[in-house]
Amino acid sequence: MKKTVIKGTGRYLASRLVTNEDLTKLMDTSDEWIQKRTGIKQRFWIQEDEKIGVSDLGLEASKIALKRAKWSPDDIDLIIFGTLSPDMHFPGSGCLLQHKLGLEKTPAFDIRQQCSAFLYGLTMADAFICSGHANRILFVGAEIHSTALVKETRGRDVSVIFGDGAGAVCLEGVDTDQPVGILSSVLHSQGELATSLMMAVPASNITEDDIRQGRHNPFMDGRNVFKTAVRRLPEVANDALAKAELSVDDIDLVILHQANLRINQAVQQSMKLPDDKIFNNIQRYGNMTAASIPVALDEAIEKNIVKKGSTLLFLGLGAGVTWGGVIYKHS
Ligand code: UT7
């Protein structure tokens, strides 16, 4: 029976370190407010004059993941690219990455699942692999938020939170009866809450009024998204556990999307997880949307917190709203 396992991971962060103190020079905010409300101490942004897109960040993360998986680009059957900040409206950044990897015909597509892109991406990869459509899939989550943020007081509720970076994961189908790889997955969306977190400008027919009204800047009803996350994430965790016929005690590490340390602490409390069963790095990177979970996974593997045999629970919720949970046993 085919199981989808992770063969290699990689991460790549934008090059400009931006501390909370740096932000106080741009807007009315404070290190104390940002840390208390979000846990974030710093984030990385691309350089102001840097003309790069998410496919460039994704390429660097992919090179590392490919090397660790011992794959060459030619081994890839399919690329799934998660981003809300693509290089251009169309074509998707997956196609740009495909070309940058030196590939000629390998299929590639983007998914628009924002903070839950990793959950949707893993699930789609698993479906492609189990149905025999592809056996080696590169998932990339990458974001460049900094260029769309309003770096003034009027945009401070959003702009202090987000960072730029990329994470990549090489996923492969293996034939085994062992309980390894993706063990269960549960996905949801609730379009009713679409306006809670959005960039409202349409992809076509952009008017001058859209620009004047700032509809090209991200908008977030932070409190509503916060409340939804704290309710939905423990719920989907339980559903994913039930589907895998596991209990929370069987999980070695929960890797949540890094949106707000307080959300993760609330989920930790609700699930009664000890500190060593949850991984957070939002303090150093801020919220990198589609890149957050793969970057966290890469770090957890590098720090040997995730080892062969570790059972992981990935959880995330974001714009859409979309959310999901995936249980994975590392081999
Ligand atoms: O990853 C995608 C999903 N996104 C999320 O999950 C984000 C979820 N939401 C959040 O993380 C939090 O709601 C925020 C961090 C965005 C905001 O924290 P909050 O505790 O919900 O604060 P708030 O929006 O209720 O604002 C409290 C006060 C307001 O002032 P008044 O009205 O009480 O005078 C804001 O104007 O804090 C003010 N404020 C700030 N002050 C200093 C908002 N942003 C800032 C800031 N610096 N950067």
Side-chain angles (χ1 to χ4, degrees):
M1 195 179 158
K2 281 269 186 223
K3 299 284 172 59
T4 301
V5 302
I6 294 172
K7 290 301 224 184
T9 59
R11 68 179 185 277
Y12 188 78
L13 280 305
S15 60
R16 179 159 59 116
L17 172 65
V18 179
T19 64
N20 293 346
E21 203 53 41
D22 293 331
L23 295 180
T24 64
K25 292 169 195 132
L26 303 172
M27 61 191 84
D28 180 14
T29 190
S30 65
D31 177 47
E32 192 199 349
W33 190 97
I34 301 170
Q35 284 210 48
K36 197 165 152 221
R37 303 279 178 145
T38 70
I40 299 166
K41 296 181 180 176
Q42 61 175 54
R43 75 285 296 136
F44 292 88
W45 285 353
I46 62 166
Q47 303 292 333
E48 265 170 39
D49 57 353
E50 212 173 351
K51 295 277 174 274
I52 59 170
V54 287
S55 61
D56 298 300
L57 297 184
L59 175 66
E60 297 308 321
S62 299
K63 283 184 197 162
I64 298 166
L66 288 168
K67 194 165 170 209
R68 289 184 180 152
K70 301 189 174 63
W71 293 4
S72 79
D74 289 327
D75 292 322
I76 302 167
D77 298 326
L78 172 71
I79 296 169
I80 305 177
F81 202 113
T83 187
L84 66 70
S85 49
D87 300 59
M88 53 180 97
H89 268 309
F90 72 87
S93 294
C95 294
L96 306 185
L97 174 67
Q98 186 255 25
H99 179 60
K100 286 172 186 174
L101 283 167
L103 297 169
E104 198 188 339
K105 291 196 301 186
T106 309
F109 62 84
D110 284 23
I111 56 169
R112 304 274 309 276
Q113 304 317 114
Q114 294 68 245
C115 302
S116 55
F118 189 69
L119 292 322
Y120 273 76
L122 273 193
T123 307
M124 290 168 89
D126 193 40
F128 270 92
I129 286 170
C130 292
S131 64
H133 278 291
N135 205 52
R136 287 181 161 177
I137 298 180
L138 174 66
F139 171 86
V140 176
E143 305 288 358
I144 295 180
H145 287 302
S146 58
T147 45
L149 299 173
V150 179
K151 301 182 195 79
E152 314 169 9
T153 301
R154 69 184 166 92
R156 66 182 178 175
D157 58 326
V158 173
S159 54
V160 302
I161 295 175
F162 291 94
D164 303 340
V169 178
C170 294
L171 297 150
E172 186 165 322
V174 294
D175 282 304
T176 175
D177 292 327
Q178 296 298 310
V180 294
I182 294 176
L183 303 183
S184 79
S185 156
V186 179
L187 303 175
H188 292 289
S189 74
Q190 189 177 3
E192 183 191 352
L193 300 180
T195 54
S196 299
L197 180 47
M198 63 176 174
M199 186 183 281
V201 72
S204 64
N205 197 22
I206 302 168
T207 64
E208 280 177 17
D209 190 52
D210 285 327
I211 306 297
R212 253 195 316 274
Q213 301 291 332
R215 294 192 193 102
H216 59 304
N217 299 126
F219 165 83
M220 180 163 70
D221 174 356
R223 281 186 197 183
N224 198 17
V225 180
F226 193 106
K227 276 193 288 184
T228 309
V230 166
R231 177 170 152 232
R232 293 302 195 184
L233 292 172
E235 196 179 88
V236 78
N238 284 334
D239 292 347
L241 284 167
K243 205 168 169 182
E245 297 179 1
L246 294 176
S247 85
V248 71
D249 296 335
D250 297 315
I251 300 298
D252 297 302
L253 191 70
V254 176
I255 302 184
L256 277 143
H257 168 52
Q258 305 290 305
N260 185 317
L261 192 59
R262 287 190 299 139
I263 293 178
N264 294 4
Q265 286 165 342
V267 174
Q268 179 182 358
Q269 210 174 15
S270 163
M271 293 180 67
K272 299 186 176 56
L273 296 168
D275 288 348
D276 63 349
K277 285 205 174 187
I278 186 161
F279 187 83
N280 289 307
N281 62 9
I282 188 172
Q283 300 90 332
R284 285 174 283 122
Y285 300 135
N287 180 346
M288 297 188 293
T289 310
S292 282
I293 300 182
V295 166
L297 170 65
D298 184 55
E299 277 202 355
I301 291 174
E302 195 173 271
K303 288 176 195 287
N304 208 28
I305 301 170
V306 171
K307 307 182 254 292
K308 196 172 160 36
S310 296
T311 304
L312 312 178
L313 169 58
F314 300 112
L315 294 172
L317 177 140
V321 293
T322 57
W323 70 100
V326 172
I327 297 180
Y328 172 78
K329 190 173 170 106
H330 202 42
S331 60

